[in-house]
Amino acid sequence: MFNATPAPLLSPHGRSTVPERIAAHAARRPDAVAVTDGAATLSYARLHARTRELAGRLCAAGVRSGDVVAVLLERSVDAVAACSAVMSAGAGYLMLDPGQPAPRTRYLLGDSTARAVVSRPELLSRVDPERLPGMAYLDCGESDRAEGAGPAPAAAGGPEPDGPAYLNYTSGSTGRPKGVLIGHPGLANLVDWYRHRYQVEPGDRVSQLVRPTFDAFALETWTCLAAGASLHIAPDGVRQDPERLRDWLCRSGITVSFVPTPLAEHLFTLDWPGPDEGCALRELLVGGDRLTRRPPAGLPFRVHNNYGPTECTVVATCSLVDERYEPAGDVPPPIGRPLPGVTAYVLDAQLTPVTQGAPGVLHVGGVGVALGYLHAPGDDDGPFRTDPFRALPGARMYATGDLVRQDEAGQLHYLGRLDEQVQIRGVRVEPAEAEAVLRRHPEVDRAVVVGTDEAEPRLAGYVTARGGAPDPRQIRAFVAERLPDHLVPATITVVPELPLTPEGKVDRRALARREPECADGSGGRPAAGPPRTGDDSGVRALVALWQDVLGVPCVAAEDDFFEIGGDSLRVIRLVARARRQGIALRPDDVYAHPVLADLAASVEAARTAAEAIAS
């Protein structure tokens, strides 16, 4: 057993909630910048005023303590103010991505039983709100227009200290997403740990990079604002380009930043200016995926490896990744020790503590454990259980399903998963959710989705047909219309039958190890015809790069990067490898020209223009 007795909580604020701490900073430093997104900036006084005004309107619309309120907005100061207002009204916010398929948004609105939605008319119209009667709709723009119109009304009651702060959906093994309710105590503990560990003060500048639908949004946003620092929302154009992100971090004077692990590993390879050369970054937090490499010596900032499922308020354990710490063998950096107020147990199948160094399943307890799954309250329900190692009334723990071991230094090391869950671009995904949508396609009989067996896993779908030869492209498009991008299989393969184990179950491991095939009628990848490299030399120059980055043996000139397995992380890899070969390529080029022939033409046009200018 590891850390059976948690360290004491750090909070000097007692049980104060995040909105209360923001209000305190607004009183002490009203003109200080709270949040900026490049297009708009809110001081702490303006953020507090907008929070009070919108919270008052929410209460007038019938929102009560413990309710859920959805926020359908892009990454912006409006989204931050709206979430702050929801918490101030005593409700928990649910962030919805305006870019995700409308059916998915409608499902989450219905399943969450949201009392109200905060959005803008043009965003709300995309989800056809008339199909969700009985829900109040509030225009976030009215809060901005109301500024200067007099004192903002206070929300009735305010947040309950033990009530919900936000609702976050995770992928579900039953084929439906699960809503995770996070309480104010866990969020308050997170912000206290963050401020203490990283010494965040009002003069700091903190970045906001991730989608607000990911739980790391809470880590970036509320830890910053509760400390009185200023939150800087990164432009979309820099978030997936390591070099542009580095330059933005330095140019913006960011001192503390969270970066998803795969992107952070690319940042490690870049040249960084020192503190005297314009880089203020001192702490880089990584998380969301397994950290596979250590940062090189000489970086101007420290690297911290964070671990934590959504069910444990974003971060459960953390480790400083020190390049001086060299374990025996090629071992990835540890995930560290539990946060103050958090317990970590390494248990066997009988929930008995294992001996030091032996593998076991990580169970997390303490203040960070979620209130539970929406519509499934109560202890001993699935992975949430009464904590048998603590006599404290109401103590609970969460079975993460992650295999770990503890080393002699007391650090926890991640070993893998017990179940079929897959980590895709920092998000834990249950393949069953994608399988359920695949089976709804009229031409699909059986469907299995697995995570590929590679360094950067992706989802691969395998289906059998009801008859005929369905087009994998059309099947993938069907799924993409119904699920967010991280749940859409990168490839769809139509197979005569699914491989079985001796016990008669689908052999998922065999599928995960399966080599990709060329499109030859059976469909090793979604393609529209026989593969060819084309006659254009620019196309030929990119073919090998695409094959390497995407892990496919054949690429056609008419292929779309994202339809044959590409994603944002593979865009980064493609750009980095192209630049090493002297090909001037940016992530924006790939997004603007995803078809191979078009991308080659764009690269050639840019090269010709550059030569003309040089001459």
Side-chain angles (χ1 to χ4, degrees):
M1 182 164 55
F2 175 70
N3 193 42
T5 304
L9 303 184
L10 297 168
S11 178
H13 305 281
R15 302 297 297 277
S16 61
T17 62
V18 167
E20 290 169 339
R21 301 186 199 194
I22 294 175
H25 289 297
R28 288 195 295 264
R29 304 171 60 248
D31 297 329
V33 172
V35 55
T36 180
D37 61 13
T41 298
L42 294 180
S43 66
Y44 270 91
R46 289 185 63 199
L47 173 61
H48 182 51
R50 289 188 60 173
T51 293
R52 283 170 57 89
E53 189 277 334
L54 181 53
R57 285 197 286 136
L58 286 168
C59 291
V63 172
R64 296 293 178 263
S65 178
D67 284 344
V68 171
V69 173
V71 177
L72 180 63
L73 292 168
E74 63 284 291
R75 298 167 56 253
S76 61
V77 298
D78 287 341
V80 172
C83 291
S84 177
V86 172
M87 291 192 290
S88 292
Y93 69 83
L94 165 64
M95 280 301 308
L96 297 173
D97 185 352
Q100 74 181 356
R104 170 83 170 190
T105 299
R106 283 194 295 269
Y107 173 82
L108 296 182
L109 284 170
D111 185 74
S112 67
T113 62
R115 181 62 62 91
V117 181
V118 180
S119 186
R120 292 197 305 271
E122 66 271 20
L123 296 178
L124 194 60
S125 64
R126 300 177 190 174
V127 300
D128 193 9
E130 293 181 358
R131 296 174 61 175
L132 294 163
M135 195 175 296
Y137 303 100
L138 287 80
D139 183 354
C140 70
E142 292 183 11
S143 296
D144 197 44
R145 292 189 290 271
E147 285 191 30
E160 294 288 341
D162 295 319
Y166 64 88
L167 174 66
N168 212 191
Y169 273 86
T170 66
S171 187
S173 58
T174 62
R176 295 185 179 276
K178 299 180 294 186
V180 181
L181 279 169
I182 298 296
H184 279 290
L187 183 57
N189 191 64
L190 179 76
V191 301
D192 287 331
W193 161 79
Y194 180 95
R195 180 174 183 178
H196 178 80
R197 182 179 178 93
Y198 304 114
Q199 296 297 297
V200 179
E201 300 293 343
D204 278 303
R205 296 183 170 206
V206 180
S207 66
Q208 197 283 300
L209 300 175
V210 305
R211 294 182 186 179
T213 51
F214 296 167
D215 65 342
F217 171 77
L219 175 71
E220 295 176 308
T221 304
W222 309 126
T223 53
C224 169
L225 296 177
S230 61
L231 184 70
H232 292 250
I233 300 175
D236 286 337
V238 310
R239 294 167 56 234
Q240 298 298 340
D241 187 328
E243 292 188 0
R244 292 177 67 187
L245 176 57
R246 174 201 58 192
D247 295 344
W248 178 84
L249 290 168
C250 295
R251 185 172 62 251
S252 301
I254 302 300
T255 55
V256 182
S257 179
F258 171 84
V259 177
T261 303
L263 180 56
E265 291 184 341
H266 286 279
L267 291 178
F268 295 165
T269 67
L270 302 181
D271 293 327
W272 284 82
D276 297 334
E277 301 170 300
C279 180
L281 185 65
R282 68 173 190 271
E283 311 287 359
L284 181 69
L285 290 61
V286 306
D289 214 332
R290 189 176 190 181
L291 183 62
T292 60
R293 67 176 65 174
R294 297 176 182 276
L299 291 177
F301 48 81
R302 300 193 304 172
V303 176
H304 306 262
N305 189 24
N306 294 338
Y307 161 87
T310 299
E311 290 86 348
C312 297
T313 317
V314 192
V315 181
T317 69
C318 182
S319 173
L320 173 64
V321 185
D322 192 335
E323 67 274 3
R324 294 171 298 179
Y325 173 64
E326 293 292 343
D330 186 18
V331 179
I335 59 174
R337 298 180 176 87
L339 275 58
V342 174
T343 58
Y345 311 111
V346 185
L347 309 177
D348 61 19
Q350 287 73 43
L351 300 184
T352 301
V354 302
T355 58
Q356 186 184 67
V361 179
L362 178 59
H363 291 66
V364 175
V367 69
V369 176
L371 301 178
Y373 291 125
L374 192 67
H375 311 313
D379 291 329
D380 303 322
D381 181 13
F384 291 104
R385 295 179 175 274
T386 298
D387 187 339
F389 305 106
R390 299 185 68 194
L392 185 67
R396 300 159 65 243
M397 66 181 187
Y398 172 75
T400 67
D402 290 326
L403 284 172
V404 299
R405 68 172 181 84
Q406 179 195 3
D407 65 20
E408 293 180 355
Q411 299 268 11
L412 291 172
H413 292 257
Y414 178 82
L415 303 177
R417 288 289 302 174
L418 270 181
D419 52 23
E420 295 158 1
Q421 205 176 70
V422 184
Q423 195 94 346
I424 303 294
R425 283 172 279 160
V427 182
R428 291 176 185 261
V429 167
E430 291 282 2
E433 191 168 349
E435 291 173 0
V437 175
L438 275 172
R439 286 194 292 268
R440 297 201 325 244
H441 190 282
E443 297 182 76
V444 170
D445 181 21
R446 301 184 67 195
V448 173
V449 175
V450 298
T452 58
D453 190 12
E454 51 189 321
E456 294 177 4
R458 52 187 169 171
L459 294 182
Y462 296 88
V463 302
T464 60
R466 294 185 184 278
D471 184 352
R473 278 186 194 272
Q474 294 179 359
I475 297 175
R476 189 176 186 276
F478 176 87
V479 178
E481 291 173 355
R482 291 159 175 81
L483 291 176
D485 54 5
H486 61 271
L487 274 169
V488 179
T491 58
I492 301 291
T493 303
V494 181
V495 295
E497 59 184 17
L498 297 171
L500 301 178
T501 66
E503 293 79 21
K505 298 181 179 180
V506 174
D507 193 341
R508 293 177 177 270
R509 294 195 176 188
L511 290 173
R513 294 191 300 267
R514 181 178 175 133
E515 293 292 331
E517 305 168 3
C518 295
D520 58 2
S522 62
R525 59 178 176 82
R532 60 180 178 81
T533 58
D535 300 325
D536 185 85
S537 60
V539 173
R540 292 197 300 271
L542 290 174
V543 163
L545 288 171
W546 279 40
Q547 290 173 329
D548 182 31
V549 169
L550 297 174
V552 295
C554 308
V555 177
E558 67 272 17
D559 278 339
D560 184 300
F561 185 81
F562 300 101
E563 291 184 355
I564 61 172
D567 54 39
S568 58
L569 294 181
R570 285 171 174 79
V571 168
I572 295 173
R573 290 175 57 193
L574 175 67
V575 169
R577 295 183 187 188
R579 288 173 176 171
R580 286 199 292 268
Q581 296 186 20
I583 301 173
L585 193 64
R586 302 175 305 165
D588 288 350
D589 297 330
V590 184
Y591 291 113
H593 307 285
V595 174
L596 178 60
D598 295 342
L599 180 62
S602 173
V603 169
E604 177 62 21
R607 185 188 66 80
T608 302
E611 290 178 349
I613 293 173
S615 62

